[in-house]
Amino acid sequence: MDRCPWAKTDLYVQYHDGEWGVPVHDDRLLFEFLILEGAQAGLSWETILKKRKNYREAFDQFEPGLVAKYGQKKRMSLLADAGIVRNRLKIEAAIQNAQMFLAVQDEFGTFDKYIWGFIGNEQKQNAWKSIKEVPAKTSESDAMSNDLKRRGFKFVGSTICYAFMQAVGMINDHLVECFRHAQLSRTARKPK
């Protein structure tokens, strides 16, 4: 069975086969990926996947309404939590992003409706033959990054936004030879 070449470890294979590129329309899960992609900046995605369970516990299952209200005591406990990336800027960004996430929900009804609008509300189907062809960012991720920053989000550069788009299935970047490419091409659908 052919897979994208980056899926080499058991953890990556599980993530690749079950999650990466699958369209996500659940606001809580979109928030989780937004925070995890920001936490990954400068690290490997495998590092974040290994810590994902701890992140879910530390960040109240990524309920944005709870994260947005974190006070000083909770911030200090997060900085002391060895189960997550203990970076003050990333922790502060997660809390601020939760607040901005709620503001987007208020404006658009759902974060899903807002974020999928950057690609016309339908999964973009790419047809890369080599991992070297896959871009680190695109005009869509540039637009998303600029708008998120304008709204006050942090750790949302264009490269992070593109990785988020790949992760939540806004873009099918599985290589054409990968068995998941065809599966996800068939299941692509517009959000509700």
Side-chain angles (χ1 to χ4, degrees), residues 28-97:
R28 193 215 52 81
L29 192 52
L30 288 168
F31 178 66
E32 177 176 332
F33 274 109
L34 189 69
I35 299 310
L36 292 178
E37 290 292 350
Q40 186 262 333
L43 304 169
S44 76
W45 184 240
E46 189 169 31
T47 298
I48 300 304
L49 287 176
K50 286 177 181 174
K51 294 177 178 284
R52 191 174 186 185
K53 183 173 182 256
N54 295 328
Y55 262 98
R56 285 176 173 161
E57 290 171 13
F59 281 90
D60 292 295
Q61 305 305 312
F62 291 103
E63 287 297 336
L66 296 175
V67 177
K69 295 178 184 170
Y70 286 174
Q72 199 56 37
K73 184 177 178 186
K74 179 64 175 183
R75 291 165 200 246
M76 296 310 289
S77 77
L78 289 170
L79 280 170
D81 189 338
I84 66 169
V85 176
R86 293 180 291 180
N87 177 301
R88 183 179 304 276
L89 291 176
K90 291 178 180 181
I91 289 168
E92 293 296 330
I95 298 165
Q96 182 167 330
N97 287 353

